[in-house]
Amino acid sequence: MKNNILKVLLILVISSLALMGCSEEEKSHKHPAQEVVEKHFQYKKEKNINKFISTHSETMEDIYKNQGVYKWDTLKDIKLLSIDEEKDENYKKGYLTNGRGSINGTTAENLKVYKVEYEIKFNAPGPQESGRYTWWYYVIRKDTDSPWLIDDYGI
């Protein structure tokens, strides 16, 4: 009887551990488009300009390279607070019909929209005020074999 109780307890412990392991694996799986947004913030925090630019579409790359719109020396810190895929289809629809998607030919299948909350601090006047922001990031790919890249973001 004592052996049977030990066997049952052992089975329960092993089953519980296996289930917890599966749920952790599922939680850690992120969509590649989301990973690009997370890298965008990581590279910005590191002030790694080339890697930061590499997370963007060609059009966005040109903006950063040609206009130098970012004051990297004033950035003190940036922290990604949350990132969630936007479920409201109107954001996709707006991008595809009235936004950059109407110009670059992106399809709904090749577009992900993320609602991102972040906090940014500057040690001098920067391109925006220090504070907490909620912006939407539009991440696209040319086709199913292409990488996901940020094509637009803002309020």
Side-chain angles (χ1 to χ4, degrees):
M1 172 111 163
K2 193 175 185 181
N3 265 350
N4 287 340
I5 291 173
L6 287 174
K7 287 180 183 176
V8 169
L9 286 175
L10 185 60
I11 291 171
L12 287 173
V13 169
I14 292 172
S15 299
S16 296
L17 291 173
L19 288 174
M20 286 189 326
C22 290
S23 62
E24 287 301 314
E25 187 177 307
E26 289 172 11
K27 287 180 190 174
S28 67
H29 180 71
K30 296 177 187 170
H31 192 280
Q34 179 177 332
E35 290 176 352
V36 168
V37 176
E38 290 173 354
K39 286 179 183 176
H40 164 88
F41 280 89
Q42 174 190 336
Y43 299 150
K44 193 170 192 175
K45 182 180 185 89
E46 295 170 358
K47 297 183 183 179
N48 189 327
I49 298 166
N50 290 328
K51 284 189 175 184
F52 173 81
I53 289 172
S54 75
T55 63
H56 296 82
S57 67
E58 290 176 17
T59 302
M60 292 293 289
E61 280 184 22
D62 290 343
I63 291 170
Y64 282 108
K65 287 179 181 175
N66 296 329
Q67 296 179 9
V69 295
Y70 206 84
K71 297 180 180 180
W72 291 94
D73 56 331
T74 64
L75 178 64
K76 183 176 181 182
D77 190 34
I78 187 164
K79 188 184 308 182
L80 178 61
L81 302 174
S82 67
I83 179 169
D84 296 297
E85 186 171 356
E86 180 58 66
K87 300 298 182 192
D88 184 345
E89 289 295 317
N90 287 320
Y91 284 88
K92 275 189 174 183
K93 187 177 177 182
Y95 174 88
L96 294 170
T97 57
N98 301 317
R100 293 185 32 74
S102 64
I103 299 165
N104 62 25
T106 300
T107 63
E109 175 187 66
N110 294 319
L111 170 65
K112 292 280 186 185
V113 182
Y114 292 95
K115 182 179 180 182
V116 174
E117 185 177 357
Y118 67 96
E119 186 172 22
I120 193 164
K121 295 178 184 171
F122 295 95
N123 54 25
Q128 66 189 111
E129 298 281 325
S130 292
R132 198 173 249 201
Y133 292 88
T134 301
W135 280 12
W136 280 260
Y137 278 69
Y138 297 83
V139 187
I140 65 169
R141 62 184 179 181
K142 292 181 181 179
D143 55 46
T144 56
D145 296 323
S146 300
W148 290 95
L149 298 168
I150 298 167
D151 191 55
D152 202 2
Y153 50 86
I155 300 173

Coordinates of all heavy atoms in Angstrom, one line a residue, residues 40-92:
H40 N 14.2 46.6 -31.5 CA 14.2 48.0 -31.8 C 14.5 48.8 -30.5 O 15.3 49.7 -30.5 CB 12.8 48.4 -32.4 CG 12.5 49.8 -32.4 ND1 12.8 50.7 -33.4 CD2 11.8 50.6 -31.5 CE1 12.4 51.9 -33.2 NE2 11.8 51.9 -32.0
F41 N 13.8 48.4 -29.4 CA 14.0 49.1 -28.1 C 15.3 48.7 -27.5 O 16.0 49.6 -26.9 CB 12.8 48.7 -27.2 CG 11.6 49.6 -27.5 CD1 10.6 49.1 -28.4 CD2 11.4 50.8 -26.9 CE1 9.5 49.9 -28.7 CE2 10.3 51.6 -27.1 CZ 9.4 51.1 -28.0
Q42 N 15.7 47.5 -27.6 CA 17.0 47.0 -27.1 C 18.1 47.8 -27.8 O 19.0 48.4 -27.1 CB 17.2 45.5 -27.4 CG 18.6 45.0 -26.9 CD 18.8 43.6 -27.4 OE1 17.9 42.8 -27.7 NE2 20.1 43.2 -27.6
Y43 N 18.1 47.9 -29.1 CA 19.2 48.6 -29.8 C 19.2 50.1 -29.5 O 20.2 50.7 -29.5 CB 19.1 48.3 -31.3 CG 19.2 46.8 -31.7 CD1 18.6 46.3 -32.8 CD2 20.0 46.0 -30.9 CE1 18.7 45.0 -33.1 CE2 20.1 44.6 -31.2 CZ 19.5 44.1 -32.3 OH 19.6 42.8 -32.7
K44 N 18.0 50.6 -29.4 CA 17.9 52.1 -29.1 C 18.5 52.3 -27.7 O 19.2 53.3 -27.5 CB 16.4 52.5 -29.1 CG 16.2 54.0 -29.1 CD 14.7 54.2 -29.3 CE 14.4 55.7 -29.6 NZ 13.0 55.9 -30.0
K45 N 18.2 51.5 -26.7 CA 18.8 51.6 -25.4 C 20.3 51.5 -25.4 O 21.0 52.2 -24.7 CB 18.2 50.5 -24.5 CG 18.6 50.6 -23.0 CD 18.0 49.5 -22.2 CE 18.4 49.6 -20.7 NZ 17.5 50.4 -20.0
E46 N 20.8 50.6 -26.2 CA 22.2 50.4 -26.4 C 22.9 51.5 -27.2 O 24.1 51.5 -27.3 CB 22.5 49.0 -27.0 CG 22.1 47.8 -26.2 CD 22.1 46.5 -26.9 OE1 22.5 46.5 -28.2 OE2 21.8 45.5 -26.3
K47 N 22.1 52.3 -27.9 CA 22.5 53.3 -28.8 C 23.3 52.7 -29.9 O 24.3 53.3 -30.4 CB 23.3 54.4 -28.1 CG 22.5 55.2 -27.0 CD 23.3 56.2 -26.4 CE 22.5 56.9 -25.3 NZ 23.3 58.0 -24.6
N48 N 22.9 51.5 -30.4 CA 23.5 50.8 -31.5 C 22.8 51.2 -32.7 O 21.8 50.6 -33.1 CB 23.5 49.3 -31.2 CG 24.3 48.6 -32.3 OD1 24.4 49.0 -33.4 ND2 24.8 47.5 -31.8
I49 N 23.2 52.3 -33.3 CA 22.5 52.9 -34.4 C 22.3 52.0 -35.6 O 21.2 51.9 -36.2 CB 23.2 54.2 -34.9 CG1 23.2 55.2 -33.7 CG2 22.5 54.8 -36.1 CD1 24.1 56.4 -33.9
N50 N 23.3 51.3 -36.0 CA 23.2 50.4 -37.2 C 22.2 49.2 -36.9 O 21.4 48.9 -37.8 CB 24.6 49.8 -37.6 CG 25.5 50.9 -38.2 OD1 25.0 51.8 -38.8 ND2 26.8 50.8 -37.9
K51 N 22.3 48.6 -35.8 CA 21.3 47.5 -35.5 C 19.9 48.1 -35.3 O 18.9 47.5 -35.8 CB 21.7 46.8 -34.2 CG 22.9 45.8 -34.5 CD 23.1 44.9 -33.3 CE 24.2 43.9 -33.6 NZ 24.4 43.0 -32.5
F52 N 19.8 49.3 -34.7 CA 18.5 50.0 -34.6 C 17.9 50.2 -36.0 O 16.7 49.8 -36.3 CB 18.7 51.3 -33.9 CG 17.4 52.2 -33.8 CD1 16.4 51.9 -32.9 CD2 17.3 53.2 -34.7 CE1 15.3 52.7 -32.9 CE2 16.2 54.0 -34.7 CZ 15.2 53.8 -33.8
I53 N 18.7 50.7 -36.9 CA 18.2 51.0 -38.3 C 17.8 49.7 -39.0 O 16.9 49.6 -39.7 CB 19.3 51.8 -39.1 CG1 19.3 53.2 -38.5 CG2 18.9 51.8 -40.6 CD1 20.5 54.0 -39.1
S54 N 18.5 48.6 -38.7 CA 18.3 47.3 -39.3 C 16.9 46.7 -39.0 O 16.5 45.8 -39.6 CB 19.4 46.3 -39.0 OG 19.2 45.8 -37.7
T55 N 16.2 47.2 -37.9 CA 14.9 46.7 -37.6 C 13.8 47.4 -38.4 O 12.6 47.1 -38.2 CB 14.6 46.9 -36.1 OG1 14.6 48.3 -35.8 CG2 15.6 46.2 -35.2
H56 N 14.2 48.3 -39.3 CA 13.2 49.1 -40.0 C 13.2 48.8 -41.5 O 14.2 48.3 -42.1 CB 13.6 50.6 -39.9 CG 13.5 51.1 -38.5 ND1 14.5 51.0 -37.6 CD2 12.5 51.8 -37.9 CE1 14.1 51.5 -36.5 NE2 12.9 52.0 -36.6
S57 N 12.1 49.1 -42.1 CA 11.9 48.9 -43.6 C 12.9 49.8 -44.3 O 13.4 50.8 -43.7 CB 10.5 49.1 -44.0 OG 10.2 50.5 -43.8
E58 N 13.0 49.6 -45.6 CA 13.9 50.5 -46.4 C 13.6 51.9 -46.3 O 14.4 52.8 -46.2 CB 13.9 50.0 -47.9 CG 14.6 48.7 -48.1 CD 14.5 48.2 -49.5 OE1 14.2 49.0 -50.4 OE2 14.6 47.0 -49.7
T59 N 12.3 52.2 -46.3 CA 11.9 53.6 -46.3 C 12.2 54.3 -44.9 O 12.7 55.4 -44.9 CB 10.3 53.7 -46.5 OG1 10.0 53.1 -47.7 CG2 9.9 55.2 -46.5
M60 N 12.0 53.5 -43.9 CA 12.4 54.1 -42.5 C 13.9 54.2 -42.4 O 14.4 55.1 -41.8 CB 11.8 53.2 -41.4 CG 10.3 53.2 -41.3 SD 9.7 54.8 -40.8 CE 10.2 54.8 -39.1
E61 N 14.6 53.2 -43.0 CA 16.1 53.3 -42.9 C 16.6 54.6 -43.6 O 17.4 55.2 -43.1 CB 16.7 52.1 -43.7 CG 16.7 50.8 -42.9 CD 17.4 49.7 -43.7 OE1 18.2 50.0 -44.6 OE2 17.2 48.5 -43.4
D62 N 16.0 54.9 -44.8 CA 16.4 56.1 -45.5 C 16.1 57.3 -44.6 O 16.9 58.3 -44.6 CB 15.6 56.2 -46.8 CG 16.1 55.2 -47.8 OD1 17.1 54.6 -47.6 OD2 15.3 54.9 -48.8
I63 N 15.0 57.4 -43.9 CA 14.7 58.5 -43.1 C 15.8 58.7 -42.0 O 16.4 59.8 -41.8 CB 13.4 58.4 -42.4 CG1 12.3 58.5 -43.5 CG2 13.2 59.4 -41.3 CD1 10.9 58.1 -43.0
Y64 N 16.2 57.6 -41.3 CA 17.2 57.7 -40.3 C 18.6 58.0 -40.9 O 19.3 58.8 -40.3 CB 17.2 56.4 -39.5 CG 16.1 56.4 -38.5 CD1 15.1 55.5 -38.6 CD2 16.1 57.2 -37.3 CE1 14.0 55.4 -37.7 CE2 15.1 57.1 -36.4 CZ 14.0 56.3 -36.6 OH 13.0 56.2 -35.7
K65 N 18.9 57.4 -42.0 CA 20.3 57.6 -42.6 C 20.4 59.0 -43.2 O 21.4 59.7 -43.0 CB 20.5 56.6 -43.6 CG 20.8 55.2 -43.0 CD 21.1 54.2 -44.1 CE 21.3 52.8 -43.6 NZ 21.4 51.8 -44.6
N66 N 19.4 59.5 -43.9 CA 19.5 60.7 -44.6 C 19.2 62.0 -43.8 O 19.7 63.0 -44.0 CB 18.6 60.7 -45.8 CG 19.1 59.6 -46.8 OD1 20.3 59.3 -46.9 ND2 18.1 59.1 -47.5
Q67 N 18.2 61.8 -42.8 CA 17.8 63.0 -42.1 C 18.4 63.1 -40.7 O 18.4 64.1 -40.1 CB 16.3 63.0 -42.0 CG 15.6 63.2 -43.3 CD 14.1 63.2 -43.2 OE1 13.6 63.3 -42.1 NE2 13.4 63.1 -44.3
G68 N 18.9 62.0 -40.2 CA 19.5 62.0 -38.9 C 18.6 62.5 -37.8 O 19.0 63.4 -37.0
V69 N 17.3 62.1 -37.8 CA 16.3 62.7 -37.0 C 16.4 62.4 -35.5 O 15.7 62.9 -34.8 CB 14.9 62.3 -37.5 CG1 14.6 62.9 -38.9 CG2 14.7 60.8 -37.5
Y70 N 17.3 61.5 -35.1 CA 17.4 61.1 -33.7 C 18.6 61.7 -33.1 O 19.7 61.6 -33.6 CB 17.3 59.6 -33.6 CG 16.8 59.2 -32.3 CD1 15.4 59.1 -32.1 CD2 17.6 59.0 -31.2 CE1 14.8 58.9 -30.8 CE2 17.0 58.7 -29.9 CZ 15.7 58.7 -29.8 OH 15.1 58.4 -28.6
K71 N 18.4 62.3 -31.9 CA 19.5 62.9 -31.1 C 20.0 61.8 -30.1 O 19.6 61.8 -29.0 CB 19.0 64.1 -30.4 CG 18.6 65.2 -31.3 CD 18.2 66.4 -30.5 CE 17.7 67.5 -31.4 NZ 17.3 68.7 -30.7
W72 N 20.9 60.9 -30.6 CA 21.3 59.8 -29.8 C 22.0 60.2 -28.5 O 22.0 59.6 -27.5 CB 22.2 58.9 -30.6 CG 21.4 58.2 -31.7 CD1 21.3 58.6 -33.0 CD2 20.7 57.0 -31.5 NE1 20.4 57.7 -33.6 CE2 20.1 56.7 -32.7 CE3 20.4 56.1 -30.4 CZ2 19.3 55.6 -33.0 CZ3 19.6 55.0 -30.6 CH2 19.0 54.7 -31.9
D73 N 22.8 61.3 -28.6 CA 23.5 61.8 -27.4 C 22.7 62.2 -26.3 O 23.1 62.3 -25.1 CB 24.5 62.8 -27.8 CG 23.9 64.0 -28.5 OD1 22.8 63.9 -29.2 OD2 24.4 65.1 -28.4
T74 N 21.4 62.6 -26.5 CA 20.5 63.0 -25.5 C 19.8 61.9 -24.8 O 19.2 62.1 -23.7 CB 19.5 64.1 -26.0 OG1 18.7 63.4 -26.9 CG2 20.2 65.3 -26.6
L75 N 19.8 60.7 -25.4 CA 19.0 59.6 -24.8 C 19.7 59.1 -23.5 O 20.9 58.7 -23.5 CB 18.9 58.4 -25.8 CG 18.2 57.2 -25.3 CD1 16.7 57.4 -25.0 CD2 18.4 56.1 -26.4
K76 N 19.0 59.1 -22.4 CA 19.5 58.6 -21.1 C 19.1 57.2 -20.9 O 19.9 56.3 -20.6 CB 19.0 59.5 -20.0 CG 19.5 59.1 -18.6 CD 19.0 60.0 -17.6 CE 19.6 59.6 -16.2 NZ 19.1 60.5 -15.2
D77 N 17.8 56.8 -21.2 CA 17.3 55.5 -21.0 C 16.0 55.3 -21.7 O 15.2 56.3 -21.9 CB 17.1 55.2 -19.5 CG 16.8 53.7 -19.2 OD1 17.4 52.9 -19.9 OD2 16.0 53.5 -18.2
I78 N 15.7 54.1 -22.1 CA 14.4 53.7 -22.7 C 14.0 52.3 -22.2 O 14.9 51.5 -22.1 CB 14.4 53.8 -24.2 CG1 12.9 53.6 -24.7 CG2 15.3 52.8 -24.8 CD1 12.7 54.0 -26.2
K79 N 12.8 52.2 -21.8 CA 12.3 50.9 -21.2 C 11.0 50.5 -21.9 O 10.1 51.3 -21.9 CB 12.2 51.0 -19.7 CG 11.9 49.7 -19.0 CD 11.6 49.9 -17.5 CE 12.7 50.7 -16.9 NZ 12.5 50.9 -15.4
L80 N 11.0 49.3 -22.5 CA 9.8 48.8 -23.0 C 8.9 48.2 -21.9 O 9.4 47.3 -21.1 CB 10.1 47.6 -24.0 CG 9.0 46.9 -24.7 CD1 8.1 47.8 -25.5 CD2 9.5 45.8 -25.5
L81 N 7.7 48.8 -21.7 CA 6.9 48.4 -20.6 C 5.9 47.3 -20.9 O 5.7 46.4 -20.1 CB 6.1 49.6 -20.0 CG 7.0 50.7 -19.5 CD1 6.2 52.0 -19.1 CD2 7.9 50.3 -18.4
S82 N 5.3 47.4 -22.1 CA 4.4 46.3 -22.6 C 4.3 46.4 -24.1 O 4.5 47.4 -24.7 CB 3.0 46.5 -22.0 OG 2.4 47.7 -22.5
I83 N 4.0 45.2 -24.6 CA 3.8 45.1 -26.1 C 2.7 44.0 -26.3 O 2.8 42.9 -25.8 CB 5.1 44.7 -26.8 CG1 4.8 44.5 -28.3 CG2 5.7 43.5 -26.2 CD1 6.1 44.4 -29.2
D84 N 1.7 44.4 -27.0 CA 0.5 43.6 -27.3 C 0.1 43.7 -28.7 O 0.0 44.8 -29.2 CB -0.7 43.9 -26.4 CG -0.3 43.7 -24.9 OD1 -0.1 42.5 -24.5 OD2 -0.3 44.7 -24.1
E85 N -0.2 42.6 -29.3 CA -0.7 42.7 -30.7 C -2.1 43.4 -30.7 O -2.9 43.1 -29.8 CB -0.9 41.3 -31.3 CG -1.2 41.4 -32.8 CD -1.2 40.1 -33.5 OE1 -0.8 39.1 -32.9 OE2 -1.6 40.1 -34.7
E86 N -2.3 44.4 -31.5 CA -3.5 45.1 -31.6 C -4.6 44.3 -32.3 O -4.4 43.8 -33.4 CB -3.3 46.4 -32.4 CG -4.5 47.3 -32.5 CD -5.1 47.7 -31.2 OE1 -4.5 48.4 -30.4 OE2 -6.3 47.2 -30.9
K87 N -5.7 44.0 -31.6 CA -6.7 43.2 -32.1 C -7.8 43.9 -32.9 O -8.6 43.4 -33.6 CB -7.4 42.4 -30.9 CG -6.5 41.5 -30.2 CD -5.9 40.4 -31.0 CE -5.0 39.5 -30.2 NZ -4.2 38.6 -31.0
D88 N -7.8 45.3 -32.7 CA -8.8 46.1 -33.4 C -8.3 46.2 -34.9 O -7.3 46.8 -35.2 CB -8.8 47.5 -32.8 CG -9.9 48.4 -33.4 OD1 -10.4 48.1 -34.6 OD2 -10.2 49.4 -32.8
E89 N -9.1 45.5 -35.8 CA -8.7 45.5 -37.2 C -8.7 46.9 -37.9 O -8.2 47.0 -39.0 CB -9.7 44.5 -37.9 CG -9.5 43.1 -37.6 CD -8.1 42.5 -38.1 OE1 -7.7 42.8 -39.2 OE2 -7.5 41.8 -37.3
N90 N -9.3 47.9 -37.3 CA -9.3 49.2 -37.9 C -7.9 49.8 -38.0 O -7.6 50.6 -38.9 CB -10.2 50.1 -37.0 CG -11.7 49.8 -37.3 OD1 -12.1 49.5 -38.4 ND2 -12.4 49.9 -36.2
Y91 N -7.0 49.4 -37.1 CA -5.6 49.8 -37.2 C -4.9 49.3 -38.5 O -4.3 50.0 -39.2 CB -4.8 49.4 -36.0 CG -5.1 50.3 -34.8 CD1 -6.2 49.9 -33.9 CD2 -4.4 51.4 -34.5 CE1 -6.5 50.7 -32.8 CE2 -4.7 52.2 -33.4 CZ -5.7 51.9 -32.6 OH -6.0 52.7 -31.5
K92 N -5.2 48.0 -38.7 CA -4.6 47.4 -40.0 C -5.3 48.1 -41.2 O -4.6 48.4 -42.2 CB -4.9 45.9 -40.0 CG -3.9 45.1 -39.3 CD -4.2 43.6 -39.6 CE -3.0 42.7 -39.0 NZ -3.2 41.3 -39.3

